[in-house]
Amino acid sequence: MPRKSKFQIKILGAYGGRFKDLGTTCLQISETILVDAGNIMRALGEESLKINHVFITHAHLDHIVDIPFLVDYTFRYRDQALNIYGHRETLDAIKSYVMNWNIWPEFSSIRLLNSGDYAVNYIEIEEGQEIQVDGFTFIPIESNHTVKTFGYIIKKGSSAILFTSDTFKNPSLWERVNEDSSIKAVITEVSFPSYMFNVAEVSKHHTPRTLREDLKNLKRENVDLYVMHLKPSALQELKKEIKEILPEVEILSDGDKIELQ
Ligand SMILES: [Zn+2]
Ligand SMILES: [Zn+2]
C-alpha cells in the first residue's frame, strides 16, 4: 500500500496590511521553509533560527518586510546561508533597494561567524522550474500582478497546494488546477471590497466579484479554496461580502493551518 504523505501549511501572516495583531503574507511549509516573509519574527520568535529557505513571490514590502530582521536575529547563530529564492527581478529589487547597505546591510557579502558561508544566498528561479527542498517540490507559476510575481505549486508525495500570492484575474492559473488533480487546495487573494474595483484593478488585486468571475475557469469541484490578503481597513465589509459572493471559499487568518492528505 502506498504511504500517504501528509503536510501541513501554517499561515503566519494572512493580511494585505499590518494592523495590531494582523501580519502580512507569510506561509510556513515546514520547520525550515517559508513562502514570503511578511510576518516571520513575531510569529516564530526563536523558531526562526530553523528557517533555511524562503521562497519569495514578489518584492512588494508586505511580502519581504521580515527578511532583514530574520537575517539580523539569526546571524550570530547560523552556520549555513539563508537561501532566498525568487525571480531575478524580485531578487534584484531586494538587493538594490533593501539589502544594499543604505536600508540594511548587504548580508550576501558578510560571512557568518560560525562558518565560511555568506549570511544570505540569493537563488534565481524560473517559471516552471522544479526546485526540490527537504522533500518538497516547488514549481513557480506566473501570477497577474503589477510586478513580476510567482505563485507556487508546492508538492509533497501525491498532494499539492497552489498559492497564487497577489493576483488579479488569471485564467491560465485555473487551467493549471484543472489539469493537475494532485492540486488539492488553492490559496488565492481578495484585497478590496467590490465597490473599490478601480483601485483593485489598477493595483492588480481581486475583489470578491472579480474572483467570482475568475472562478468560472475552475472546472473541478474537489479543490479546497482559501483566500487571504484582505486589507485590514476593509476587513469587516470584506468578510461579509466574501460570505455572500464566495460561500465556498474559506477566509484565512494568522495562525490558521491547512492540512493536506
Ligand atoms: Zn503585491
Ligand atoms: Zn501583497
Side-chain angles (χ1 to χ4, degrees), residues 25 58 62-63 166 205 229:
T25 305
H58 66 301
D62 53 320
H63 299 253
D166 295 5
H205 286 293
H229 209 272

Side-chain angles (χ1 to χ4, degrees), residues 7-12 26-37 40 44 47-56 70 78 82-85 131-138 152-156:
F7 70 99
Q8 189 186 64
I9 289 179
K10 189 171 180 193
I11 311 298
L12 303 183
C26 194
L27 280 60
Q28 186 170 24
I29 310 304
S30 75
E31 263 192 349
T32 61
I33 309 173
L34 300 175
V35 174
D36 278 346
I40 302 171
L44 289 184
E47 294 293 304
S48 66
L49 292 168
K50 297 176 183 161
I51 300 299
N52 290 324
H53 309 276
V54 185
F55 287 80
I56 300 293
L70 175 64
R78 302 188 68 83
L82 174 72
N83 292 313
I84 299 179
Y85 305 77
I131 303 120
Q132 320 281 346
V133 182
D134 292 354
F136 292 86
T137 303
F138 287 76
Y152 289 103
I153 296 170
I154 305 155
K155 283 187 194 254
K156 190 180 186 193

Side-chain angles (χ1 to χ4, degrees), residues 46 49 72-80 112-114:
E46 287 193 351
L49 292 168
D72 176 63
Y73 179 76
T74 60
F75 177 80
R76 59 173 293 200
Y77 305 104
R78 302 188 68 83
D79 55 16
Q80 55 177 295
L112 294 167
L113 305 177
N114 298 331

Side-chain angles (χ1 to χ4, degrees), residues 157-173:
S158 56
S159 295
I161 189 164
L162 189 158
F163 171 56
T164 70
S165 193
D166 295 5
T167 192
F168 191 53
K169 292 179 194 172
N170 189 5
S172 63
L173 178 134

Side-chain angles (χ1 to χ4, degrees), residues 57-63 145-147 149 165-167 189 203-205 229:
T57 62
H58 66 301
H60 282 161
L61 184 65
D62 53 320
H63 299 253
H145 196 35
T146 52
V147 294
T149 299
S165 193
D166 295 5
T167 192
E189 68 120 306
S203 60
K204 291 207 170 186
H205 286 293
H229 209 272

